[in-house]
Amino acid sequence: MRVCVIGTGYVGLVTGVCLAHIGHHVICIDNNEEKVKLMKSGQSPIYEPGLSELMQSSAASGNLEFSTDLEAGVKHGEILFIAVGTPALPTGESDTRYVEAVARGIGAHLNGGYKVIVNKSTVPIGSGDWVRMIVLDGVAERQKNLVAAGSISTLERIEADFDVVSNPEFLREGSAVYDTFNPDRIVLGSNNPKAIEMMKQLYAPLVERQFSEDTSLPPVPVVVTDLSSAEMIKYAANAFLATKISFINEVANICDRVGADVTQVAKGIGLDSRIGSKFLSAGIGWGGSCFPKDVSALVHTAEDYGYETELLNAAINVNKRQRTIAIEKLQQELKILKGKTVGLLGLTFKPDTDDMRDAPALTMIEQLNRLGAKVKAYDPIVSQSGLSHGLSGVIIESDPERLADGCDALVVVTEWQEFLRLDYGKMVKTMREPVLIDGRNFLDPAVVTAAGFRYLGIGR
């Protein structure tokens, strides 16, 4: 099928590349010329395992192209994905101006023939009808301009045959390619059977697990809903997962006070099939581009309709507090932090990504600076990529041993696999104090203690 993906952030680029890999002809559109130039050269603008290799092979096969020409993309695609960012505003609302600009641009370039316009961006509930209205506004504006230019008569009408589908993504940064080929479900929201059938045709290779890690599994469930329900599924899924993390973090804080071990508690309750073990890892809280934005947007939507989301508000408040837990533990061990040096192992909000958006590390750096501590950090991606220029109040070290040198404490902020293989015995010898706060309960306490550290986990 012919596909156009507008926006090449995490969602758009991964979607476009993976659809090209399974055999569709995809044009990815972005208005950033430098970014498009980079992608044309075969380089990915984001760090995502496996993505660059798929980009290069799909481009070589002719299935994947990159362009800044929206009109060409609209004319090419039977299916047009809107995959631009919807960042959170200070009020908690989603900023939909980029979605609006793209929808208006699509309307200005519709050229006849049926199109399916897909909302892949995480948009406020009710945006499907809103996007349809904006596309039609773009069509009307083009009509007006053509009449004014004398290109068409006032009696002629531009054909605009399209439907809007909500197709929320459930990709995890760091495993987005894997998630695309091994989805738990595919959600399609529309009131038009023709649009749904085209989307099912698009996703047929994925539904049939032709590219799954285990091709013997049953077909991927396809959930067909109305537009608003599909949009709500995305928000509800992320809000539930964020609440689950906040729940186990609250349990961890009680464990710290009563002498229980939250890792054992999580294992015990996670074996209950009604609960499950995923997202029961206590630590210093959730961050990134999705959970904070989506939970806040759902809270704001509820407020618009006169409902107070007490449970979601509590999940947000627990998460805010959780980011201070490591600081509290440092104060308990080192007392006054003014004049002390603290080393952070990891900066990104999760491993296998270069994403620093709303990362807990940013809160920790700010608080440690406020308390007068000197902050150093090492991150496998940030330290090597040059992305550290935007960070203030922290010294970026090139390797873990340099990080440990002269520190009064280390804090594990991100659970990068390489941190399991560090020579902690060598690192502790260069430190002023042998304190290690494991903010993710990631390391083996016995190994780190045997190396000479005073180990403190979260809820342990």
Side-chain angles (χ1 to χ4, degrees):
M1 300 181 76
R2 299 187 312 279
V3 180
C4 172
V5 179
I6 305 161
T8 58
Y10 277 95
V11 175
L13 186 57
V14 171
T15 299
V17 169
C18 291
L19 286 175
H21 180 70
I22 67 175
H24 300 299
H25 185 189
V26 181
I27 296 180
C28 290
I29 304 294
D30 201 288
N31 59 6
N32 185 324
E33 292 186 6
E34 288 301 313
K35 191 176 182 183
V36 168
K37 185 178 178 182
L38 181 72
M39 292 185 291
K40 281 183 173 180
S41 73
Q43 298 181 63
S44 172
I46 58 174
Y47 177 80
E48 187 64 43
L51 185 61
S52 292
E53 294 82 356
L54 288 184
M55 274 182 64
Q56 291 161 13
S57 62
S58 296
S61 71
N63 281 348
L64 181 64
E65 301 175 47
F66 298 97
S67 175
T68 58
D69 189 345
L70 178 59
E71 182 176 4
V74 172
K75 287 181 178 179
H76 165 82
E78 304 165 75
I79 297 178
L80 313 174
F81 281 91
I82 300 176
V84 292
T86 53
L89 294 167
T91 59
E93 296 174 273
S94 294
D95 185 349
T96 57
R97 59 183 156 167
Y98 306 114
V99 174
E100 180 176 355
V102 169
R104 197 176 299 278
I106 289 172
H109 297 303
L110 283 179
N111 59 325
Y114 181 70
K115 307 277 187 182
V116 175
I117 299 173
V118 184
N119 261 343
K120 200 70 173 173
S121 301
T122 302
V123 290
I125 299 156
S127 292
D129 292 334
W130 173 76
V131 164
R132 181 175 186 83
M133 178 186 75
I134 299 300
V135 172
L136 290 173
D137 285 349
V139 173
E141 193 173 324
R142 180 184 178 196
Q143 173 102 20
K144 181 181 175 181
N145 291 338
L146 289 174
V147 169
S151 301
I152 61 174
S153 73
T154 55
L155 298 177
E156 291 179 86
R157 288 286 176 267
I158 296 174
E159 185 179 344
D161 187 12
F162 69 94
D163 281 295
V164 177
V165 171
S166 176
N167 174 216
E169 53 82 22
F170 303 98
L171 307 179
R172 298 167 296 169
E173 289 185 33
S175 55
V177 172
Y178 175 88
D179 290 344
T180 302
F181 295 138
N182 301 271
D184 294 322
R185 75 291 204 195
I186 292 173
V187 176
L188 303 173
S190 175
N191 299 320
N192 189 301
K194 182 179 180 180
I196 293 296
E197 284 308 309
M198 284 183 65
M199 293 301 294
K200 285 182 176 179
Q201 182 185 344
L202 179 79
Y203 284 129
L206 300 181
V207 172
E208 295 162 7
R209 297 198 182 275
Q210 294 175 19
F211 295 84
S212 292
E213 190 173 63
D214 184 353
T215 56
S216 67
L217 290 172
V220 175
V222 178
V223 181
V224 178
T225 73
D226 58 85
L227 277 166
S228 294
S229 295
E231 292 161 351
M232 177 60 95
I233 286 169
K234 169 65 174 179
Y235 282 109
N238 277 351
F240 180 83
L241 294 174
T243 301
K244 194 173 181 182
I245 297 171
S246 285
F247 169 80
I248 199 63
N249 280 336
E250 192 143 82
V251 170
N253 296 338
I254 301 171
C255 287
D256 259 338
R257 287 158 174 78
V258 301
D261 185 339
V262 74
T263 61
Q264 296 178 30
V265 173
K267 182 178 180 180
I269 66 174
L271 290 169
D272 188 323
S273 60
R274 298 167 300 176
I275 297 174
S277 60
K278 293 180 179 179
F279 288 81
L280 281 182
S281 298
I284 52 176
W286 36 269
S289 63
C290 291
F291 283 5
K293 175 174 71 72
D294 292 354
V295 177
S296 294
L298 189 53
V299 169
H300 192 275
T301 297
E303 289 174 350
D304 283 346
Y305 288 86
Y307 183 77
E308 183 180 356
T309 53
E310 295 184 17
L311 183 60
L312 296 183
N313 289 335
I316 292 169
N317 291 333
V318 168
N319 192 59
K320 286 179 181 176
R321 178 178 178 183
Q322 205 64 21
R323 295 188 174 196
T324 70
I325 292 296
I327 306 295
E328 291 176 14
K329 290 182 179 291
L330 286 170
Q331 289 174 319
Q332 290 166 9
E333 288 297 307
L334 303 178
K335 309 308 178 189
I336 304 299
L337 296 184
K338 195 177 186 68
K340 302 292 173 62
T341 301
V342 177
L344 306 182
L345 279 165
L347 285 168
T348 56
F349 87 96
K350 65 180 292 188
D352 297 319
T353 180
D354 57 5
D355 199 344
M356 287 290 299
R357 287 176 289 183
D358 204 28
L362 300 176
T363 304
M364 294 182 64
I365 292 167
E366 181 184 349
Q367 292 187 347
L368 287 168
N369 285 167
R370 181 177 59 81
L371 292 168
K374 178 181 178 181
V375 187
K376 302 199 294 180
Y378 167 76
D379 184 278
I381 289 293
V382 176
S383 294
Q384 310 303 328
S385 65
L387 296 173
S388 57
H389 300 306
L391 294 170
S392 60
V394 58
I395 300 166
I396 304 299
E397 296 290 4
S398 58
D399 62 67
E401 291 180 7
R402 287 178 182 270
L403 173 72
D405 189 18
C407 278
D408 296 281
L410 296 178
V411 181
V412 177
V413 178
T414 314
E415 57 273 41
W416 287 94
Q417 284 296 312
E418 78 169 60
F419 294 164
L420 295 174
R421 302 185 294 271
L422 298 181
D423 188 342
Y424 287 99
K426 185 175 182 181
M427 290 166 64
V428 75
K429 291 175 183 176
T430 65
M431 293 177 63
R432 287 203 291 254
E433 293 282 344
V435 175
L436 190 146
I437 311 292
D438 188 352
R440 297 296 182 183
N441 290 342
F442 181 60
L443 305 179
D444 184 338
V447 171
V448 178
T449 302
F453 276 99
R454 295 204 303 275
Y455 175 93
L456 290 91
I458 307 295
R460 305 189 80 176

